[in-house]
Amino acid sequence: MELFIIFIIFIFLSIVSFYVVVHIIKIWTGCNDKEAVAKLQRFINGKPLYKFEDDIGLQNDIWDNVRKIIGEKRFQQLVNLNSTMITNPLLFFGEEGALPFIAVSLYYLDDNEKKVLENIILNVIKQYLLVYKYDISVLAVWKERYDLNMPILQIRYARNGEEKRVLEIAIRNQQQNITTSNSFPKDDTEDDDLDE
């Protein structure tokens, strides 16, 4: 009987310890319950935790697809330019505000090529987000890279629930801005013409 009670106490303490550790992981990393349990399982199983930002396959896939679109000659110019970069290379990871991002600096010939490059890069990134079990929602913004005087595509993504909420707000704001900028202002003189 004593052995049974000790066993029950051991099981109870194990379950409580598990939930305490999961809660600490959630607080420490900002992830949700499911992500915290996955991190704990990877740690216990001894599996290395690969980082999205360090995945060479992602970077290679992005550049391979860019080369297919812009051609070998223009791609080689990007490679040569990248080899001269001391600080931020043409493809780098960072954080802006509460969201992580991937930034890809590249030239494009026209709006059509710009859109194709954006879509190809986004498709590659979404495939890798799925591999890492991140949400595939992304926010793509073209900016100017002033140190090189060239366009830069910044893709923001979310790694956990808190970042996902911030990203959803940013996506809604971008869609609202696009809708507002595409709407036509009402001409007040049209009402006057109808009254006459």
Side-chain angles (χ1 to χ4, degrees), residues 56-72 74-75 78-79 82 89-93 102-107 117 120-121 124 145 150:
I56 283 297
L58 169 62
Q59 298 175 34
N60 289 339
D61 283 350
I62 289 173
W63 286 126
D64 285 345
N65 282 286
V66 167
R67 182 175 56 235
K68 290 174 188 172
I69 302 300
I70 67 173
E72 198 62 45
R74 288 173 49 212
F75 181 74
L78 285 175
V79 170
N82 193 50
L90 296 183
L91 188 149
F92 65 94
F93 293 82
I102 303 168
V104 185
S105 305
L106 61 148
Y107 294 109
L117 285 167
I120 294 294
I121 292 169
V124 170
R145 183 167 175 169
M150 73 186 301

PDB file of all heavy atoms in Angstrom, residues 56-72 74-75 78-79 82 89-93 102-107 117 120-121 124 145 150:
ATOM      1  N   ILE A  56      20.433  27.380 -44.021  1.00  0.00           N
ATOM      2  CA  ILE A  56      21.124  27.656 -45.284  1.00  0.00           C
ATOM      3  C   ILE A  56      20.263  27.232 -46.470  1.00  0.00           C
ATOM      4  O   ILE A  56      20.314  27.849 -47.533  1.00  0.00           O
ATOM      5  CB  ILE A  56      22.493  26.925 -45.297  1.00  0.00           C
ATOM      6  CG1 ILE A  56      23.496  27.686 -44.444  1.00  0.00           C
ATOM      7  CG2 ILE A  56      23.034  26.729 -46.676  1.00  0.00           C
ATOM      8  CD1 ILE A  56      23.815  29.071 -44.944  1.00  0.00           C
ATOM      9  N   GLY A  57      19.464  26.187 -46.298  1.00  0.00           N
ATOM     10  CA  GLY A  57      18.583  25.736 -47.375  1.00  0.00           C
ATOM     11  C   GLY A  57      17.615  26.821 -47.798  1.00  0.00           C
ATOM     12  O   GLY A  57      17.366  27.015 -48.997  1.00  0.00           O
ATOM     13  N   LEU A  58      17.060  27.556 -46.828  1.00  0.00           N
ATOM     14  CA  LEU A  58      16.150  28.659 -47.129  1.00  0.00           C
ATOM     15  C   LEU A  58      16.852  29.715 -47.965  1.00  0.00           C
ATOM     16  O   LEU A  58      16.345  30.149 -49.001  1.00  0.00           O
ATOM     17  CB  LEU A  58      15.620  29.270 -45.831  1.00  0.00           C
ATOM     18  CG  LEU A  58      14.866  30.601 -45.945  1.00  0.00           C
ATOM     19  CD1 LEU A  58      13.613  30.444 -46.785  1.00  0.00           C
ATOM     20  CD2 LEU A  58      14.536  31.143 -44.569  1.00  0.00           C
ATOM     21  N   GLN A  59      18.032  30.118 -47.531  1.00  0.00           N
ATOM     22  CA  GLN A  59      18.770  31.154 -48.252  1.00  0.00           C
ATOM     23  C   GLN A  59      19.139  30.695 -49.664  1.00  0.00           C
ATOM     24  O   GLN A  59      18.987  31.450 -50.631  1.00  0.00           O
ATOM     25  CB  GLN A  59      20.011  31.540 -47.457  1.00  0.00           C
ATOM     26  CG  GLN A  59      19.661  32.135 -46.094  1.00  0.00           C
ATOM     27  CD  GLN A  59      20.864  32.425 -45.243  1.00  0.00           C
ATOM     28  OE1 GLN A  59      21.920  32.796 -45.747  1.00  0.00           O
ATOM     29  NE2 GLN A  59      20.722  32.265 -43.931  1.00  0.00           N
ATOM     30  N   ASN A  60      19.592  29.462 -49.784  1.00  0.00           N
ATOM     31  CA  ASN A  60      19.948  28.937 -51.102  1.00  0.00           C
ATOM     32  C   ASN A  60      18.743  28.860 -52.028  1.00  0.00           C
ATOM     33  O   ASN A  60      18.840  29.185 -53.218  1.00  0.00           O
ATOM     34  CB  ASN A  60      20.596  27.555 -50.974  1.00  0.00           C
ATOM     35  CG  ASN A  60      21.984  27.623 -50.380  1.00  0.00           C
ATOM     36  OD1 ASN A  60      22.641  28.665 -50.405  1.00  0.00           O
ATOM     37  ND2 ASN A  60      22.448  26.509 -49.844  1.00  0.00           N
ATOM     38  N   ASP A  61      17.594  28.418 -51.490  1.00  0.00           N
ATOM     39  CA  ASP A  61      16.386  28.324 -52.308  1.00  0.00           C
ATOM     40  C   ASP A  61      15.924  29.704 -52.776  1.00  0.00           C
ATOM     41  O   ASP A  61      15.484  29.859 -53.917  1.00  0.00           O
ATOM     42  CB  ASP A  61      15.262  27.624 -51.546  1.00  0.00           C
ATOM     43  CG  ASP A  61      15.441  26.117 -51.502  1.00  0.00           C
ATOM     44  OD1 ASP A  61      16.322  25.603 -52.212  1.00  0.00           O
ATOM     45  OD2 ASP A  61      14.701  25.454 -50.749  1.00  0.00           O
ATOM     46  N   ILE A  62      16.017  30.701 -51.912  1.00  0.00           N
ATOM     47  CA  ILE A  62      15.640  32.059 -52.319  1.00  0.00           C
ATOM     48  C   ILE A  62      16.529  32.519 -53.465  1.00  0.00           C
ATOM     49  O   ILE A  62      16.057  32.980 -54.509  1.00  0.00           O
ATOM     50  CB  ILE A  62      15.718  33.040 -51.133  1.00  0.00           C
ATOM     51  CG1 ILE A  62      14.588  32.766 -50.142  1.00  0.00           C
ATOM     52  CG2 ILE A  62      15.660  34.492 -51.624  1.00  0.00           C
ATOM     53  CD1 ILE A  62      14.659  33.555 -48.856  1.00  0.00           C
ATOM     54  N   TRP A  63      17.864  32.386 -53.305  1.00  0.00           N
ATOM     55  CA  TRP A  63      18.783  32.877 -54.341  1.00  0.00           C
ATOM     56  C   TRP A  63      18.690  32.062 -55.623  1.00  0.00           C
ATOM     57  O   TRP A  63      18.811  32.611 -56.727  1.00  0.00           O
ATOM     58  CB  TRP A  63      20.213  32.913 -53.818  1.00  0.00           C
ATOM     59  CG  TRP A  63      20.448  34.041 -52.862  1.00  0.00           C
ATOM     60  CD1 TRP A  63      20.948  33.944 -51.601  1.00  0.00           C
ATOM     61  CD2 TRP A  63      20.184  35.434 -53.065  1.00  0.00           C
ATOM     62  NE1 TRP A  63      21.009  35.187 -51.014  1.00  0.00           N
ATOM     63  CE2 TRP A  63      20.545  36.119 -51.887  1.00  0.00           C
ATOM     64  CE3 TRP A  63      19.664  36.176 -54.122  1.00  0.00           C
ATOM     65  CZ2 TRP A  63      20.419  37.499 -51.738  1.00  0.00           C
ATOM     66  CZ3 TRP A  63      19.518  37.554 -53.984  1.00  0.00           C
ATOM     67  CH2 TRP A  63      19.894  38.197 -52.812  1.00  0.00           C
ATOM     68  N   ASP A  64      18.453  30.746 -55.520  1.00  0.00           N
ATOM     69  CA  ASP A  64      18.291  29.931 -56.732  1.00  0.00           C
ATOM     70  C   ASP A  64      17.096  30.399 -57.546  1.00  0.00           C
ATOM     71  O   ASP A  64      17.153  30.485 -58.781  1.00  0.00           O
ATOM     72  CB  ASP A  64      18.127  28.451 -56.372  1.00  0.00           C
ATOM     73  CG  ASP A  64      19.421  27.796 -55.944  1.00  0.00           C
ATOM     74  OD1 ASP A  64      20.502  28.384 -56.190  1.00  0.00           O
ATOM     75  OD2 ASP A  64      19.364  26.699 -55.352  1.00  0.00           O
ATOM     76  N   ASN A  65      16.003  30.699 -56.860  1.00  0.00           N
ATOM     77  CA  ASN A  65      14.804  31.170 -57.562  1.00  0.00           C
ATOM     78  C   ASN A  65      14.992  32.571 -58.125  1.00  0.00           C
ATOM     79  O   ASN A  65      14.508  32.871 -59.219  1.00  0.00           O
ATOM     80  CB  ASN A  65      13.592  31.107 -56.625  1.00  0.00           C
ATOM     81  CG  ASN A  65      13.056  29.702 -56.499  1.00  0.00           C
ATOM     82  OD1 ASN A  65      12.421  29.192 -57.405  1.00  0.00           O
ATOM     83  ND2 ASN A  65      13.346  29.047 -55.401  1.00  0.00           N
ATOM     84  N   VAL A  66      15.687  33.424 -57.399  1.00  0.00           N
ATOM     85  CA  VAL A  66      15.969  34.774 -57.914  1.00  0.00           C
ATOM     86  C   VAL A  66      16.806  34.667 -59.192  1.00  0.00           C
ATOM     87  O   VAL A  66      16.544  35.352 -60.182  1.00  0.00           O
ATOM     88  CB  VAL A  66      16.685  35.641 -56.850  1.00  0.00           C
ATOM     89  CG1 VAL A  66      17.263  36.901 -57.470  1.00  0.00           C
ATOM     90  CG2 VAL A  66      15.717  35.995 -55.725  1.00  0.00           C
ATOM     91  N   ARG A  67      17.808  33.792 -59.182  1.00  0.00           N
ATOM     92  CA  ARG A  67      18.670  33.619 -60.363  1.00  0.00           C
ATOM     93  C   ARG A  67      17.848  33.170 -61.570  1.00  0.00           C
ATOM     94  O   ARG A  67      18.063  33.631 -62.688  1.00  0.00           O
ATOM     95  CB  ARG A  67      19.783  32.606 -60.081  1.00  0.00           C
ATOM     96  CG  ARG A  67      20.724  32.447 -61.282  1.00  0.00           C
ATOM     97  CD  ARG A  67      21.910  31.550 -61.042  1.00  0.00           C
ATOM     98  NE  ARG A  67      21.531  30.225 -60.589  1.00  0.00           N
ATOM     99  CZ  ARG A  67      21.988  29.668 -59.474  1.00  0.00           C
ATOM    100  NH1 ARG A  67      22.842  30.290 -58.697  1.00  0.00           N
ATOM    101  NH2 ARG A  67      21.600  28.465 -59.131  1.00  0.00           N
ATOM    102  N   LYS A  68      16.884  32.281 -61.363  1.00  0.00           N
ATOM    103  CA  LYS A  68      16.045  31.818 -62.471  1.00  0.00           C
ATOM    104  C   LYS A  68      15.236  32.956 -63.077  1.00  0.00           C
ATOM    105  O   LYS A  68      14.971  32.954 -64.282  1.00  0.00           O
ATOM    106  CB  LYS A  68      15.113  30.709 -61.986  1.00  0.00           C
ATOM    107  CG  LYS A  68      15.818  29.413 -61.659  1.00  0.00           C
ATOM    108  CD  LYS A  68      14.857  28.414 -61.052  1.00  0.00           C
ATOM    109  CE  LYS A  68      15.585  27.182 -60.550  1.00  0.00           C
ATOM    110  NZ  LYS A  68      14.712  26.289 -59.794  1.00  0.00           N
ATOM    111  N   ILE A  69      14.848  33.914 -62.264  1.00  0.00           N
ATOM    112  CA  ILE A  69      14.015  35.017 -62.747  1.00  0.00           C
ATOM    113  C   ILE A  69      14.858  36.092 -63.431  1.00  0.00           C
ATOM    114  O   ILE A  69      14.527  36.548 -64.526  1.00  0.00           O
ATOM    115  CB  ILE A  69      13.205  35.658 -61.590  1.00  0.00           C
ATOM    116  CG1 ILE A  69      12.324  34.622 -60.898  1.00  0.00           C
ATOM    117  CG2 ILE A  69      12.382  36.847 -62.077  1.00  0.00           C
ATOM    118  CD1 ILE A  69      11.308  33.956 -61.772  1.00  0.00           C
ATOM    119  N   ILE A  70      15.950  36.509 -62.804  1.00  0.00           N
ATOM    120  CA  ILE A  70      16.703  37.660 -63.328  1.00  0.00           C
ATOM    121  C   ILE A  70      17.815  37.264 -64.290  1.00  0.00           C
ATOM    122  O   ILE A  70      18.380  38.123 -64.964  1.00  0.00           O
ATOM    123  CB  ILE A  70      17.282  38.530 -62.188  1.00  0.00           C
ATOM    124  CG1 ILE A  70      18.372  37.785 -61.411  1.00  0.00           C
ATOM    125  CG2 ILE A  70      16.170  39.022 -61.276  1.00  0.00           C
ATOM    126  CD1 ILE A  70      19.079  38.647 -60.386  1.00  0.00           C
ATOM    127  N   GLY A  71      18.167  36.000 -64.366  1.00  0.00           N
ATOM    128  CA  GLY A  71      19.207  35.553 -65.291  1.00  0.00           C
ATOM    129  C   GLY A  71      20.586  35.543 -64.637  1.00  0.00           C
ATOM    130  O   GLY A  71      20.829  36.186 -63.620  1.00  0.00           O
ATOM    131  N   GLU A  72      21.484  34.803 -65.269  1.00  0.00           N
ATOM    132  CA  GLU A  72      22.814  34.570 -64.705  1.00  0.00           C
ATOM    133  C   GLU A  72      23.647  35.845 -64.608  1.00  0.00           C
ATOM    134  O   GLU A  72      24.334  36.074 -63.617  1.00  0.00           O
ATOM    135  CB  GLU A  72      23.548  33.520 -65.553  1.00  0.00           C
ATOM    136  CG  GLU A  72      24.713  32.886 -64.857  1.00  0.00           C
ATOM    137  CD  GLU A  72      24.325  32.115 -63.599  1.00  0.00           C
ATOM    138  OE1 GLU A  72      23.343  31.355 -63.620  1.00  0.00           O
ATOM    139  OE2 GLU A  72      25.024  32.291 -62.572  1.00  0.00           O
ATOM    140  N   ARG A  74      22.796  39.161 -64.403  1.00  0.00           N
ATOM    141  CA  ARG A  74      22.357  40.072 -63.333  1.00  0.00           C
ATOM    142  C   ARG A  74      22.545  39.450 -61.958  1.00  0.00           C
ATOM    143  O   ARG A  74      22.861  40.126 -60.995  1.00  0.00           O
ATOM    144  CB  ARG A  74      20.899  40.483 -63.550  1.00  0.00           C
ATOM    145  CG  ARG A  74      20.763  41.448 -64.721  1.00  0.00           C
ATOM    146  CD  ARG A  74      19.327  41.755 -65.094  1.00  0.00           C
ATOM    147  NE  ARG A  74      18.491  42.123 -63.977  1.00  0.00           N
ATOM    148  CZ  ARG A  74      17.184  41.849 -63.921  1.00  0.00           C
ATOM    149  NH1 ARG A  74      16.595  41.214 -64.906  1.00  0.00           N
ATOM    150  NH2 ARG A  74      16.474  42.213 -62.885  1.00  0.00           N
ATOM    151  N   PHE A  75      22.357  38.122 -61.875  1.00  0.00           N
ATOM    152  CA  PHE A  75      22.563  37.450 -60.597  1.00  0.00           C
ATOM    153  C   PHE A  75      24.025  37.538 -60.184  1.00  0.00           C
ATOM    154  O   PHE A  75      24.327  37.750 -59.009  1.00  0.00           O
ATOM    155  CB  PHE A  75      22.100  35.987 -60.667  1.00  0.00           C
ATOM    156  CG  PHE A  75      22.264  35.266 -59.365  1.00  0.00           C
ATOM    157  CD1 PHE A  75      21.400  35.515 -58.311  1.00  0.00           C
ATOM    158  CD2 PHE A  75      23.283  34.352 -59.177  1.00  0.00           C
ATOM    159  CE1 PHE A  75      21.544  34.866 -57.094  1.00  0.00           C
ATOM    160  CE2 PHE A  75      23.446  33.691 -57.972  1.00  0.00           C
ATOM    161  CZ  PHE A  75      22.566  33.953 -56.928  1.00  0.00           C
ATOM    162  N   LEU A  78      24.746  40.675 -58.485  1.00  0.00           N
ATOM    163  CA  LEU A  78      24.308  40.653 -57.085  1.00  0.00           C
ATOM    164  C   LEU A  78      25.311  39.907 -56.204  1.00  0.00           C
ATOM    165  O   LEU A  78      25.619  40.342 -55.093  1.00  0.00           O
ATOM    166  CB  LEU A  78      22.930  39.996 -56.954  1.00  0.00           C
ATOM    167  CG  LEU A  78      21.721  40.801 -57.398  1.00  0.00           C
ATOM    168  CD1 LEU A  78      20.459  39.951 -57.301  1.00  0.00           C
ATOM    169  CD2 LEU A  78      21.570  42.067 -56.585  1.00  0.00           C
ATOM    170  N   VAL A  79      25.822  38.795 -56.715  1.00  0.00           N
ATOM    171  CA  VAL A  79      26.817  38.014 -55.958  1.00  0.00           C
ATOM    172  C   VAL A  79      28.058  38.863 -55.706  1.00  0.00           C
ATOM    173  O   VAL A  79      28.590  38.904 -54.583  1.00  0.00           O
ATOM    174  CB  VAL A  79      27.185  36.712 -56.708  1.00  0.00           C
ATOM    175  CG1 VAL A  79      28.384  36.026 -56.073  1.00  0.00           C
ATOM    176  CG2 VAL A  79      25.987  35.768 -56.745  1.00  0.00           C
ATOM    177  N   ASN A  82      27.253  41.479 -53.135  1.00  0.00           N
ATOM    178  CA  ASN A  82      27.116  40.866 -51.812  1.00  0.00           C
ATOM    179  C   ASN A  82      28.480  40.573 -51.189  1.00  0.00           C
ATOM    180  O   ASN A  82      28.654  40.696 -49.978  1.00  0.00           O
ATOM    181  CB  ASN A  82      26.293  39.577 -51.911  1.00  0.00           C
ATOM    182  CG  ASN A  82      25.851  39.076 -50.563  1.00  0.00           C
ATOM    183  OD1 ASN A  82      25.305  39.820 -49.754  1.00  0.00           O
ATOM    184  ND2 ASN A  82      26.092  37.799 -50.307  1.00  0.00           N
ATOM    185  N   PRO A  89      24.374  41.740 -45.418  1.00  0.00           N
ATOM    186  CA  PRO A  89      24.444  41.219 -46.789  1.00  0.00           C
ATOM    187  C   PRO A  89      23.134  41.490 -47.525  1.00  0.00           C
ATOM    188  O   PRO A  89      22.214  42.101 -46.980  1.00  0.00           O
ATOM    189  CB  PRO A  89      24.679  39.726 -46.578  1.00  0.00           C
ATOM    190  CG  PRO A  89      24.162  39.441 -45.215  1.00  0.00           C
ATOM    191  CD  PRO A  89      24.327  40.699 -44.421  1.00  0.00           C
ATOM    192  N   LEU A  90      23.032  41.022 -48.745  1.00  0.00           N
ATOM    193  CA  LEU A  90      21.828  41.269 -49.536  1.00  0.00           C
ATOM    194  C   LEU A  90      20.628  40.476 -49.024  1.00  0.00           C
ATOM    195  O   LEU A  90      19.496  40.815 -49.331  1.00  0.00           O
ATOM    196  CB  LEU A  90      22.082  40.949 -51.014  1.00  0.00           C
ATOM    197  CG  LEU A  90      23.129  41.827 -51.691  1.00  0.00           C
ATOM    198  CD1 LEU A  90      23.246  41.474 -53.169  1.00  0.00           C
ATOM    199  CD2 LEU A  90      22.815  43.303 -51.534  1.00  0.00           C
ATOM    200  N   LEU A  91      20.860  39.419 -48.261  1.00  0.00           N
ATOM    201  CA  LEU A  91      19.780  38.689 -47.609  1.00  0.00           C
ATOM    202  C   LEU A  91      20.142  38.586 -46.131  1.00  0.00           C
ATOM    203  O   LEU A  91      21.194  38.065 -45.790  1.00  0.00           O
ATOM    204  CB  LEU A  91      19.626  37.289 -48.205  1.00  0.00           C
ATOM    205  CG  LEU A  91      18.403  36.496 -47.735  1.00  0.00           C
ATOM    206  CD1 LEU A  91      17.920  35.569 -48.832  1.00  0.00           C
ATOM    207  CD2 LEU A  91      18.633  35.725 -46.472  1.00  0.00           C
ATOM    208  N   PHE A  92      19.305  39.152 -45.287  1.00  0.00           N
ATOM    209  CA  PHE A  92      19.585  39.074 -43.851  1.00  0.00           C
ATOM    210  C   PHE A  92      18.296  39.010 -43.052  1.00  0.00           C
ATOM    211  O   PHE A  92      17.217  39.311 -43.553  1.00  0.00           O
ATOM    212  CB  PHE A  92      20.463  40.245 -43.388  1.00  0.00           C
ATOM    213  CG  PHE A  92      19.811  41.593 -43.504  1.00  0.00           C
ATOM    214  CD1 PHE A  92      19.144  42.164 -42.432  1.00  0.00           C
ATOM    215  CD2 PHE A  92      19.887  42.317 -44.684  1.00  0.00           C
ATOM    216  CE1 PHE A  92      18.550  43.407 -42.527  1.00  0.00           C
ATOM    217  CE2 PHE A  92      19.292  43.575 -44.794  1.00  0.00           C
ATOM    218  CZ  PHE A  92      18.625  44.117 -43.709  1.00  0.00           C
ATOM    219  N   PHE A  93      18.432  38.588 -41.811  1.00  0.00           N
ATOM    220  CA  PHE A  93      17.300  38.469 -40.884  1.00  0.00           C
ATOM    221  C   PHE A  93      17.433  39.542 -39.824  1.00  0.00           C
ATOM    222  O   PHE A  93      18.540  39.927 -39.455  1.00  0.00           O
ATOM    223  CB  PHE A  93      17.309  37.091 -40.216  1.00  0.00           C
ATOM    224  CG  PHE A  93      17.032  35.963 -41.164  1.00  0.00           C
ATOM    225  CD1 PHE A  93      18.037  35.445 -41.964  1.00  0.00           C
ATOM    226  CD2 PHE A  93      15.771  35.422 -41.255  1.00  0.00           C
ATOM    227  CE1 PHE A  93      17.790  34.403 -42.842  1.00  0.00           C
ATOM    228  CE2 PHE A  93      15.510  34.374 -42.129  1.00  0.00           C
ATOM    229  CZ  PHE A  93      16.527  33.868 -42.920  1.00  0.00           C
ATOM    230  N   ILE A 102      12.688  38.896 -42.821  1.00  0.00           N
ATOM    231  CA  ILE A 102      13.738  38.519 -43.765  1.00  0.00           C
ATOM    232  C   ILE A 102      13.793  39.661 -44.764  1.00  0.00           C
ATOM    233  O   ILE A 102      12.749  40.099 -45.262  1.00  0.00           O
ATOM    234  CB  ILE A 102      13.388  37.214 -44.505  1.00  0.00           C
ATOM    235  CG1 ILE A 102      13.138  36.092 -43.525  1.00  0.00           C
ATOM    236  CG2 ILE A 102      14.490  36.849 -45.499  1.00  0.00           C
ATOM    237  CD1 ILE A 102      12.523  34.873 -44.160  1.00  0.00           C
ATOM    238  N   ALA A 103      14.989  40.137 -45.058  1.00  0.00           N
ATOM    239  CA  ALA A 103      15.137  41.230 -46.015  1.00  0.00           C
ATOM    240  C   ALA A 103      15.996  40.757 -47.178  1.00  0.00           C
ATOM    241  O   ALA A 103      17.065  40.186 -46.975  1.00  0.00           O
ATOM    242  CB  ALA A 103      15.765  42.442 -45.346  1.00  0.00           C
ATOM    243  N   VAL A 104      15.508  40.980 -48.397  1.00  0.00           N
ATOM    244  CA  VAL A 104      16.222  40.589 -49.607  1.00  0.00           C
ATOM    245  C   VAL A 104      16.393  41.837 -50.467  1.00  0.00           C
ATOM    246  O   VAL A 104      15.408  42.442 -50.884  1.00  0.00           O
ATOM    247  CB  VAL A 104      15.457  39.506 -50.401  1.00  0.00           C
ATOM    248  CG1 VAL A 104      16.275  39.037 -51.597  1.00  0.00           C
ATOM    249  CG2 VAL A 104      15.071  38.338 -49.518  1.00  0.00           C
ATOM    250  N   SER A 105      17.649  42.204 -50.708  1.00  0.00           N
ATOM    251  CA  SER A 105      17.944  43.379 -51.540  1.00  0.00           C
ATOM    252  C   SER A 105      18.204  42.914 -52.957  1.00  0.00           C
ATOM    253  O   SER A 105      19.059  42.058 -53.189  1.00  0.00           O
ATOM    254  CB  SER A 105      19.185  44.105 -51.021  1.00  0.00           C
ATOM    255  OG  SER A 105      19.037  44.444 -49.664  1.00  0.00           O
ATOM    256  N   LEU A 106      17.464  43.478 -53.921  1.00  0.00           N
ATOM    257  CA  LEU A 106      17.681  43.129 -55.318  1.00  0.00           C
ATOM    258  C   LEU A 106      17.043  44.157 -56.236  1.00  0.00           C
ATOM    259  O   LEU A 106      16.102  44.843 -55.857  1.00  0.00           O
ATOM    260  CB  LEU A 106      17.140  41.731 -55.635  1.00  0.00           C
ATOM    261  CG  LEU A 106      15.658  41.477 -55.444  1.00  0.00           C
ATOM    262  CD1 LEU A 106      15.201  40.453 -56.460  1.00  0.00           C
ATOM    263  CD2 LEU A 106      15.414  40.919 -54.070  1.00  0.00           C
ATOM    264  N   TYR A 107      17.616  44.269 -57.432  1.00  0.00           N
ATOM    265  CA  TYR A 107      17.075  45.162 -58.449  1.00  0.00           C
ATOM    266  C   TYR A 107      16.065  44.397 -59.292  1.00  0.00           C
ATOM    267  O   TYR A 107      16.141  43.183 -59.428  1.00  0.00           O
ATOM    268  CB  TYR A 107      18.194  45.665 -59.366  1.00  0.00           C
ATOM    269  CG  TYR A 107      19.192  46.551 -58.686  1.00  0.00           C
ATOM    270  CD1 TYR A 107      20.484  46.107 -58.434  1.00  0.00           C
ATOM    271  CD2 TYR A 107      18.849  47.847 -58.305  1.00  0.00           C
ATOM    272  CE1 TYR A 107      21.410  46.913 -57.806  1.00  0.00           C
ATOM    273  CE2 TYR A 107      19.771  48.662 -57.677  1.00  0.00           C
ATOM    274  CZ  TYR A 107      21.047  48.203 -57.432  1.00  0.00           C
ATOM    275  OH  TYR A 107      21.955  49.010 -56.807  1.00  0.00           O
ATOM    276  N   LEU A 117       9.203  38.395 -58.651  1.00  0.00           N
ATOM    277  CA  LEU A 117      10.224  38.150 -57.632  1.00  0.00           C
ATOM    278  C   LEU A 117       9.601  38.066 -56.240  1.00  0.00           C
ATOM    279  O   LEU A 117       9.917  37.173 -55.455  1.00  0.00           O
ATOM    280  CB  LEU A 117      11.289  39.250 -57.670  1.00  0.00           C
ATOM    281  CG  LEU A 117      12.271  39.176 -58.826  1.00  0.00           C
ATOM    282  CD1 LEU A 117      13.063  40.476 -58.946  1.00  0.00           C
ATOM    283  CD2 LEU A 117      13.220  37.993 -58.661  1.00  0.00           C
ATOM    284  N   ILE A 120       7.636  34.720 -55.899  1.00  0.00           N
ATOM    285  CA  ILE A 120       8.533  33.557 -55.815  1.00  0.00           C
ATOM    286  C   ILE A 120       9.192  33.498 -54.439  1.00  0.00           C
ATOM    287  O   ILE A 120       9.246  32.441 -53.796  1.00  0.00           O
ATOM    288  CB  ILE A 120       9.604  33.626 -56.928  1.00  0.00           C
ATOM    289  CG1 ILE A 120       8.969  33.478 -58.310  1.00  0.00           C
ATOM    290  CG2 ILE A 120      10.693  32.590 -56.718  1.00  0.00           C
ATOM    291  CD1 ILE A 120       8.352  32.137 -58.582  1.00  0.00           C
ATOM    292  N   ILE A 121       9.708  34.631 -53.967  1.00  0.00           N
ATOM    293  CA  ILE A 121      10.380  34.666 -52.660  1.00  0.00           C
ATOM    294  C   ILE A 121       9.388  34.335 -51.537  1.00  0.00           C
ATOM    295  O   ILE A 121       9.697  33.567 -50.623  1.00  0.00           O
ATOM    296  CB  ILE A 121      11.061  36.035 -52.433  1.00  0.00           C
ATOM    297  CG1 ILE A 121      12.237  36.196 -53.406  1.00  0.00           C
ATOM    298  CG2 ILE A 121      11.528  36.191 -50.995  1.00  0.00           C
ATOM    299  CD1 ILE A 121      12.833  37.593 -53.459  1.00  0.00           C
ATOM    300  N   VAL A 124       8.724  30.553 -51.392  1.00  0.00           N
ATOM    301  CA  VAL A 124       9.827  29.812 -50.769  1.00  0.00           C
ATOM    302  C   VAL A 124       9.773  29.985 -49.249  1.00  0.00           C
ATOM    303  O   VAL A 124       9.878  29.010 -48.491  1.00  0.00           O
ATOM    304  CB  VAL A 124      11.191  30.285 -51.315  1.00  0.00           C
ATOM    305  CG1 VAL A 124      12.341  29.693 -50.510  1.00  0.00           C
ATOM    306  CG2 VAL A 124      11.328  29.928 -52.785  1.00  0.00           C
ATOM    307  N   ARG A 145      16.804  50.593 -49.802  1.00  0.00           N
ATOM    308  CA  ARG A 145      18.023  50.367 -49.028  1.00  0.00           C
ATOM    309  C   ARG A 145      18.983  51.500 -49.370  1.00  0.00           C
ATOM    310  O   ARG A 145      19.581  51.528 -50.445  1.00  0.00           O
ATOM    311  CB  ARG A 145      18.622  49.007 -49.367  1.00  0.00           C
ATOM    312  CG  ARG A 145      19.841  48.713 -48.540  1.00  0.00           C
ATOM    313  CD  ARG A 145      20.245  47.276 -48.629  1.00  0.00           C
ATOM    314  NE  ARG A 145      21.487  47.092 -47.912  1.00  0.00           N
ATOM    315  CZ  ARG A 145      22.010  45.932 -47.616  1.00  0.00           C
ATOM    316  NH1 ARG A 145      21.390  44.830 -47.965  1.00  0.00           N
ATOM    317  NH2 ARG A 145      23.150  45.849 -46.973  1.00  0.00           N
ATOM    318  N   MET A 150      19.183  50.809 -53.505  1.00  0.00           N
ATOM    319  CA  MET A 150      18.486  49.741 -54.217  1.00  0.00           C
ATOM    320  C   MET A 150      17.256  49.304 -53.437  1.00  0.00           C
ATOM    321  O   MET A 150      17.180  49.511 -52.222  1.00  0.00           O
ATOM    322  CB  MET A 150      19.433  48.549 -54.467  1.00  0.00           C
ATOM    323  CG  MET A 150      19.773  47.722 -53.252  1.00  0.00           C
ATOM    324  SD  MET A 150      21.021  46.420 -53.548  1.00  0.00           S
ATOM    325  CE  MET A 150      20.284  45.427 -54.793  1.00  0.00           C
TER     326      MET A 150
END
